[in-house]
Amino acid sequence: MPTLAPPHKSLFYHRLSSWYETFFSPFFMARIHATVPALNMPAGSRVLEVGVGTGLSLNAYPHNVQVTGVDLSAAMLEHAQQKIERDGLHHITLQQMDAMNLEFPDNSFDYVMAFHLVSVVPDCDRLMQQITRVCKPGGKLVIINHLRSERQWVARAMDTISPVTHLFGWRTTLSYEELIRPVPIQVLRRYKTSPRSLFTVLIAEKLKQEE
Ligand SMILES: C[S@@+](CC[C@H](N)C(=O)[O-])C[C@H]1O[C@@H](n2cnc3c(N)ncnc32)[C@H](O)[C@@H]1O
């Protein structure tokens, strides 16, 4: 039996799910809604979004792909489900699931998305291994997150506030190198949507076996 990492309790988001969008949409929504359509997903693509939360991203997916959203928090998923019903998003289904132990076979999805999750889970290596495992060879991993800044003063400021953000369930110290290290991927694009943004968009391809 492999040793499993303990699941994140996700209580911060669970308890505060009702005001999550009020607080976070202004920071997260536009970047997600610029990133997803720009991928030009082919019709019929199978897409997994881990840590889908209240579904800020759901309206960004084209209706001709098949999306599965998973999250640990039932309360967050309830909001996402209401959105699916309200907006007739019949191409999207939700499941309560721990991203650290994804219950999907290897090589299941053409795209695996993780928005604002990699710094929330207790073991980022394990999350990266899980999302890479369920991605098809040649499939895409799409990650949006704040990563450790290359500007030293910003990195130091983030280190300073890290004990506080830990209380709210996320860390500010995760670096790009640490993120991509444990998995066989090739980074295709890594960019910020504005020069001063703390958030990075990362698009990577899972290597095919022979690569
Ligand atoms: C910062 S929110 C991001 C939500 C959404 N992706 C967005 O961009 O608005 C983090 C989400 O990850 C979920 N989460 C935390 N740990 C998780 C885990 N181990 N498995 C699945 N979801 C998890 C939380 O419940 C929460 O909904």
Side-chain angles (χ1 to χ4, degrees):
M1 274 288 273
T3 313
L4 301 181
H8 187 277
K9 298 256 182 330
S10 190
L11 289 178
F12 176 73
Y13 301 104
H14 192 73
R15 289 186 183 135
L16 302 172
S17 60
S18 294
W19 64 262
Y20 176 85
E21 295 211 354
T22 311
F23 190 76
F24 287 105
S25 299
F27 301 105
F28 292 172
M29 186 87 153
R31 193 173 298 103
I32 294 174
H33 281 248
T35 302
V36 175
L39 295 167
N40 293 317
M41 293 174 172
S45 295
R46 291 197 67 202
V47 182
L48 174 67
E49 186 178 327
V50 288
V52 67
T54 57
L56 277 187
S57 60
L58 297 184
N59 281 296
Y61 291 104
H63 283 233
N64 59 4
V65 304
Q66 194 188 328
V67 182
T68 304
V70 303
D71 200 283
L72 205 50
S73 162
M76 294 293 271
L77 287 173
E78 252 173 57
H79 290 275
Q81 187 58 42
Q82 282 166 16
K83 204 166 286 167
I84 287 174
E85 284 159 24
R86 186 193 68 202
D87 297 345
L89 306 176
H90 306 299
H91 54 304
I92 302 178
T93 55
L94 302 174
Q95 290 183 50
Q96 189 175 13
M97 194 182 293
D98 186 358
M100 312 297 278
N101 293 300
L102 290 173
E103 299 160 27
F104 301 108
D106 297 355
N107 310 325
S108 296
F109 296 95
D110 301 290
Y111 292 84
V112 184
M113 329 292 279
F115 304 144
H116 316 108
L117 178 67
V118 294
S119 54
V120 169
V121 292
D123 180 347
C124 182
D125 283 7
R126 180 164 179 97
L127 173 68
M128 290 302 287
Q129 285 155 359
Q130 284 288 300
I131 64 177
T132 305
R133 177 182 69 72
V134 300
C135 186
K136 293 178 185 173
K140 305 276 189 310
L141 302 181
V142 182
I143 294 171
I144 301 178
N145 221 84
H146 57 79
L147 296 175
R148 190 174 170 75
S149 177
E150 282 158 10
R151 287 176 288 169
Q152 281 309 307
W153 72 269
V154 179
R156 275 199 299 275
M158 290 297 157
D159 290 347
T160 309
I161 63 166
S162 179
V164 179
T165 65
H166 254 281
L167 297 175
F168 298 110
W170 74 85
R171 65 182 177 124
T172 52
T173 51
L174 181 67
S175 69
Y176 167 74
E177 291 74 20
E178 194 183 342
L179 178 70
I180 64 163
R181 184 191 53 203
V183 283
I185 57 174
Q186 182 191 1
V187 175
L188 303 176
R189 285 194 73 197
R190 171 193 174 194
Y191 62 94
K192 289 180 184 290
T193 44
S194 72
R196 292 189 176 278
S197 173
L198 292 177
F199 292 88
T200 296
V201 180
L202 189 81
I203 302 173
E205 184 173 294
K206 176 174 170 179
L207 296 180
K208 302 191 178 97
Q209 255 168 2
E210 63 272 18
E211 289 173 313

